[in-house]
Every structure is written in C-alpha cells, then in structure tokens.
Amino acid sequence: MVRFAHERAITRKGPRRHRSLFSGGSRITLHDRADASLRIEEGFLGAVKVGRVTTTGHDVELFEPGGVTLLMPLRGRAQVDTGERRLEAGPGGALLLPAGRRMTRVEPDRSGIYLGSPVILPICADRGLPPAFRPRGATPTGSTLEQHTISLYRWLYDEVEAESPLLDREKSRDAWIESLYDSFAALLAEDERPRREEASRAEMRVRQAEEYMRAHLDEATVADVARACGVTVRTLDMAFRQVRDATPKSILTALRLQEARRLLLAPEGPATVTEACFRAGLGHPSRFAQAYRASFGESPSRTLAARRG
C-alpha cells in the first residue's frame, strides 16, 4: 500500500545529521522555540518519493544528487537557496528544484506549524528530465500549466495521505508516474521558451548586423549598424555578446581586417598597404599594421610582398 510511513521525529535543538528524505543526506537546525519539533514521513510511488514534513520551523542544508524535486508548502512558507537562485513559496505554490545542494528554510504559519510535501523524481534519461536546470516557482495564479502541475501534485499528496488503493494498481501507478514526469518537464520547457525566443531574436539581429557590416565596411559605424537593424546600440551590443561573446565593434574590426587581407592578396588589389587599409574602412595605418599582425601573424607589407612574388 502506498502511504506515509518511515516516520522520524526530531526534537533536539542544534544542527543534526540524520537519515534523510534526500539521498545525499541533510543537516537540520530546528528554530529556537520551546516546543521545537520536526516529523518526517515518506511514501513511495514506484521509485518516486513523496514526503510529508511537519515542523515548527527549521533550516536544512541538503544534498540530492539523484533526483529533481517539486517542493509544495501546504502550511507556512519555504525559502530555498540553490546558489544560483533564491526562491520562496507558500500554500498553493510550488518550487521546482534541480539535483544538487541547496539550503532550505521553512517558517510556520500563525498556528505554529509548517506542513510541506517534497516529491522527488529520480533522474531517468528516458524521461526527458534534465538533472540541471534553472530553479523556478509555480503559483496558483500562474499559467494554466503551472496550475495543472500544482493540482496534480496536490492530488497525489491527498491520495497518498488517504492511502488510496488506486495507487497500488500497476497501470494506475504507471500512469501517475508518467503524468508527474510529463508535467514537471513541460513546466521546465515553458520556462525555457522565452529564453529560446530571445536567443533566436539575438541571432537574427547578429546576422542582419553582419550583413550590413559586410556591405558597408568602408564607412559603417556601430551606431549605423544598430540603426539599420532597428535597435539601440545597447541592444545590439547585448545580442553580439550573447551570440558571439564579442562586441559589435570587435566583429566589425575583424571583418575589416579580413577584407584588408583579401585585398592585399587579390591579384588586381591595391598597390599599397595604406590603400588597402582605407578601402577596408580601417583608419590609422600604424594601428592597422598592429591589429593585422595580431590577427594573421605577419605584417600587411609582408602579405603584399608575397602577392607580388
């Protein structure tokens, strides 16, 4: 029967390591109050672990290397710091947390009790669930998918608490597990969609900018390029840093240097280094010579001499 069992109670104050819900262990510090207590229970739906934590408040440093977690506060509030991000949730909300280390602080409600349910999904390659992702929250007023996921996990908690016999049936259990993984993965995909769309916009801006640069090497400035792309110089700079890990100015200079080298090597190219420099849009011949040597390992005059034979 799927039910909450394996109860462990803690009343001792101060940090304490003990057998944990989490495979990597945890270190718990109860908040300082006369009736300080913590009760941990767990149930298993196949390999999925469903926890029930009842406490007067505590801090916990934990390590979960083998699974991702959906943490659902039912009473009180939970605050989680993964190192990458700090998140908070209360009743009706949930936190989606990757595998790894994190610090969690739970605060009781006005009655003095925190009740929460961490659900741990083992990482499985065939489930499409990555061990590493950006932690995120879900709220009852969020997207339809957020509301669906919270409702699904709350329904699971209620079924385990009621010791529903349906959870013992193989087909029902397998359907539950598939739904838990699918909804978790769908929320992660929803969270990534805006970043993918922004990355796509950045790539489009960079392609458009580089096309303009190549067509106007002899005269374009970064401001000209941004204007031609219909964005601000700052937006253009952010797009290049995101896509090329470089600034628009450095890319424009690199394209001009490549054009200067092409001109110097062309059979019917300019007769002098200075002419190639200016035709490629590069001023200051002395600075051009330094940049050219840094890029191609030889001076522009040597390149020109090689063309002449």
Side-chain angles (χ1 to χ4, degrees):
M1 177 179 291
V2 180
R3 60 187 178 88
F4 289 118
H6 309 292
E7 180 176 316
R8 296 181 295 285
I10 301 172
T11 56
R12 174 181 159 190
K13 297 179 182 178
R16 183 178 181 186
R17 293 189 182 277
H18 66 98
R19 182 169 173 267
S20 170
L21 281 171
F22 304 97
S23 61
S26 59
R27 183 176 179 85
I28 292 175
T29 304
L30 295 179
H31 294 174
D32 189 14
R33 49 185 291 175
D35 60 346
S37 66
L38 165 66
R39 187 170 72 249
I40 301 170
E41 302 161 277
E42 61 190 20
F44 289 89
L45 184 69
V48 174
K49 185 181 292 187
V50 184
R52 179 167 63 185
V53 177
T54 309
T55 177
T56 54
H58 66 266
D59 298 332
V60 56
E61 177 184 359
L62 64 89
F63 180 39
E64 177 49 74
V68 300
T69 304
L70 186 139
L71 175 59
M72 185 171 52
L74 305 175
R75 293 171 61 182
R77 301 192 67 81
Q79 304 165 11
V80 176
D81 185 347
T82 66
E84 177 188 0
R85 199 174 184 192
R86 293 182 180 181
L87 298 168
E88 183 174 347
L95 301 177
L96 282 70
L97 306 168
R101 298 185 184 279
R102 60 181 179 266
M103 294 287 297
T104 300
R105 181 180 183 86
V106 297
E107 299 280 0
D109 61 11
R110 291 182 179 180
S111 71
I113 293 296
Y114 168 89
L115 174 64
S117 178
V119 180
I120 304 167
L121 308 178
I123 298 166
C124 300
D126 59 346
R127 294 286 188 181
L129 204 58
F133 55 84
R134 181 174 169 80
R136 64 157 294 175
T139 69
T141 58
S143 67
T144 300
L145 188 55
E146 286 183 43
Q147 297 174 40
H148 166 74
T149 301
I150 293 170
S151 296
L152 178 69
Y153 278 74
R154 177 56 195 261
W155 184 16
L156 172 65
Y157 174 86
D158 290 341
E159 290 289 284
V160 175
E161 186 175 53
E163 300 182 7
S164 171
L166 291 175
L167 298 179
D168 294 320
R169 298 175 184 174
E170 184 177 356
K171 288 185 178 181
S172 177
R173 182 178 66 246
D174 292 346
W176 261 108
I177 292 172
E178 183 175 358
S179 295
L180 294 173
Y181 274 97
D182 287 351
S183 61
F184 199 112
L187 261 188
L188 296 185
E190 179 184 67
D191 198 39
E192 289 296 323
R193 191 174 300 118
R195 281 190 282 275
R196 289 198 300 268
E197 291 173 353
E198 177 56 33
S200 178
R201 285 193 294 269
E203 290 171 358
M204 180 184 68
R205 288 170 183 150
V206 167
R207 286 197 301 271
Q208 184 181 1
E210 290 178 347
E211 288 174 4
Y212 183 88
M213 289 176 181
R214 290 189 178 94
H216 302 84
L217 283 175
D218 59 337
E219 59 183 1
T221 65
V222 172
D224 292 334
V225 177
R227 194 176 304 112
C229 295
V231 298
T232 65
V233 170
R234 176 175 172 77
T235 297
L236 186 68
D237 186 78
M238 291 173 62
F240 269 86
R241 289 179 186 275
Q242 180 179 349
V243 176
R244 295 281 187 256
D245 195 24
T247 64
K249 183 177 181 180
S250 66
I251 296 297
L252 182 56
T253 298
L255 291 173
R256 284 172 165 158
L257 287 169
Q258 291 171 10
E259 175 63 8
R261 184 171 179 81
R262 187 191 69 79
L263 291 170
L264 290 170
L265 291 171
E268 302 300 324
T272 66
V273 168
T274 300
E275 185 182 355
C277 169
F278 285 111
R279 281 177 59 178
L282 293 156
H284 308 287
S286 61
R287 294 181 186 174
F288 161 63
Q290 293 173 357
Y292 188 96
R293 183 185 292 275
S295 294
F296 304 113
E298 64 181 17
S299 67
S301 57
R302 186 178 182 85
T303 302
L304 182 60
R307 184 190 80 186
R308 292 170 175 170

